[in-house]
């Protein structure tokens, strides 16, 4: 697809359940900042989706909404270019989701590999909230409500987008061209590993570096990073594969030639973890210091954050309610049929 086309709409979303971290930055936030100059963009704060696995603690969701706004603005999402909106304040999303639920089977929902993995991670076992199992349908409603053609997501969300595509195909086959077919854009940067080296960076695994991290906590996090347990003395040869410090230098050090030199030196022996970690901490501090500063300014004015969110949500309500009306009409529901 020609991703240069100006009139395409892009939608991305986040569940407001914790601070954004470096994994989000390289995985999707940088793409959003780039894409907002070329396309119409909505960023959805998916508080209703977050409820599907946090129903016993909705306060956590509410507390994270303006925090997420501050993160977005601090990394360069420009509210004049991107409409930031709040899912629960867009009733058409719930309406569309309710209709789309009839276009999927429970068996198909249970087969979604992303949802299966998340069910396992959350330990739901046989007590899966119906809303959680069906969240891909709600997400299909989000995507189609905005007429989104492009959805930049991490590779783990691909099965959710595929499910949205199936729903759109079925809907349009039954009711005529009603919903826009979405396409996923998968980031070509590999998933950033967590500081423990055990898996991808995630807030739930406790291995993340938040974009809002303070300078001293950042140094501590870098010092805790998993390296090569066999690299005991500086003179020992060290392993670069699976070494978190090198994974981060790869992702964040602008001087790739120097990284290649450091890798060779580390492998040969004679380069210590302490020196490497000092370099990485400096690079990350340079990246995060301006974000932290901008974030502090935005977070100090919650009224402004709320005003931005309300303006974006109003814009979202316009387009989502038009989609809901079109769907209702084409399905043959409502007064228009009488
Ligand atoms: N499921 C997404 C996540 O957990 C969040 C999300 C909700 C989303 N609605 C969306 C992403 C619409 C893209 C488009 O990250």
């Amino acid at each position: 697809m020609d991703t240069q086309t100006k009139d395409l709409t892009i939608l991305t979303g986040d569940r407001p359940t914790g601070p954004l971290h470096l994994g989000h930055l390289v995985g999707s936030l940088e793409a959003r900042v780039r894409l907002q100059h070329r396309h119409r963009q909505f960023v959805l704060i998916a508080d209703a989706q977050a409820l599907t696995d946090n129903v016993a603690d909705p306060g956590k969701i509410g507390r994270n909404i303006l925090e997420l706004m501050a993160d977005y603005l601090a990394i360069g999402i420009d509210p004049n270019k991107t409409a930031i909106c709040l899912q629960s304040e867009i009733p058409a999303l719930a309406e569309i989701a309710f209709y789309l639920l009839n276009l999927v089977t429970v068996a198909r929902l249970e087969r979604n590999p992303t949802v299966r993995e998340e069910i396992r991670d959350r330990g739901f076992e046989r007590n899966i909230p119906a809303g959680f199992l069906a969240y891909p349908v709600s997400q299909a409603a989000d995507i189609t409500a905005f007429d989104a053609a492009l959805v930049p997501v991490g590779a783990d969300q691909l099965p959710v987008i595929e499910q949205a595509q199936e729903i759109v195909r079925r809907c349009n086959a039954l009711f005529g061209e009603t919903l826009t077919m979405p396409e996923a854009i998968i980031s070509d940067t590999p998933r950033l590993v967590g500081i423990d080296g055990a898996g991808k960076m995630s807030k739930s695994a406790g291995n993340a570096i938040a974009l809002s991290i303070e300078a001293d906590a950042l140094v501590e996090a870098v010092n805790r990073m998993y390296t090569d347990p066999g690299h005991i003395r500086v003179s020992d040869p060290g392993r670069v594969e699976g070494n978190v410090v090198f994974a981060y230098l790869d992702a964040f050090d602008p001087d790739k030639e120097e990284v290649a030199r450091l890798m060779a030196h580390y492998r040969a022996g004679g380069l210590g973890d302490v020196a490497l970690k000092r370099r990485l901490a400096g690079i990350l501090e340079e990246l995060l210091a301006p974000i932290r500063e901008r974030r502090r300014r935005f977070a100090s004015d919650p009224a402004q954050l709320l005003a931005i969110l309300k303006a974006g949500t109003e814009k979202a309500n316009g387009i989502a309610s038009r989609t809901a009306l079109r769907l209702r009409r084409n399905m043959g529901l409502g007064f228009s049929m009488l």
Side-chain angles (χ1 to χ4, degrees), residues 11-15 44 46 49 135 139 142-143 151 153 157:
L11 173 69
T12 53
D14 298 287
R15 299 179 192 188
L44 180 71
Q49 188 180 109
Y135 94 73
Q139 192 157 322
D142 300 339
I143 293 167
V151 188
V153 288
Q157 282 280 303

Side-chain angles (χ1 to χ4, degrees), residues 62 93 170 195 243 262 278 284 314 322:
L93 298 181
R170 182 102 202 281
I195 62 170
N243 187 315
L262 291 169
R278 198 175 304 127
L284 292 181
E314 194 177 316
R322 279 194 295 281

Side-chain angles (χ1 to χ4, degrees), residues 3 12 26-28 31 34-35 114 149-162 165 183-191:
T3 52
T12 53
V26 294
S28 109
R34 219 174 330 111
L35 291 166
T114 301
L150 299 174
V151 188
V153 288
D156 57 322
Q157 282 280 303
L158 197 54
V160 179
I161 308 300
E162 281 166 359
Q165 291 168 333
E183 195 181 308
I185 307 181
I186 304 292
S187 155
D188 45 16
T189 4
R191 288 298 294 242

Side-chain angles (χ1 to χ4, degrees), residues 208-219 221 285 288 292 295:
I209 295 180
L211 298 177
S212 52
I213 194 168
E214 293 298 336
D216 47 353
L218 175 62
V219 171
E285 175 60 16
L288 293 177
R292 188 189 302 131
R295 199 189 179 288

Side-chain angles (χ1 to χ4, degrees), residues 304-315:
Q304 185 204 16
L305 294 177
L306 185 58
I308 292 170
L309 186 57
K310 282 186 171 169
T313 303
E314 194 177 316
K315 190 167 168 205

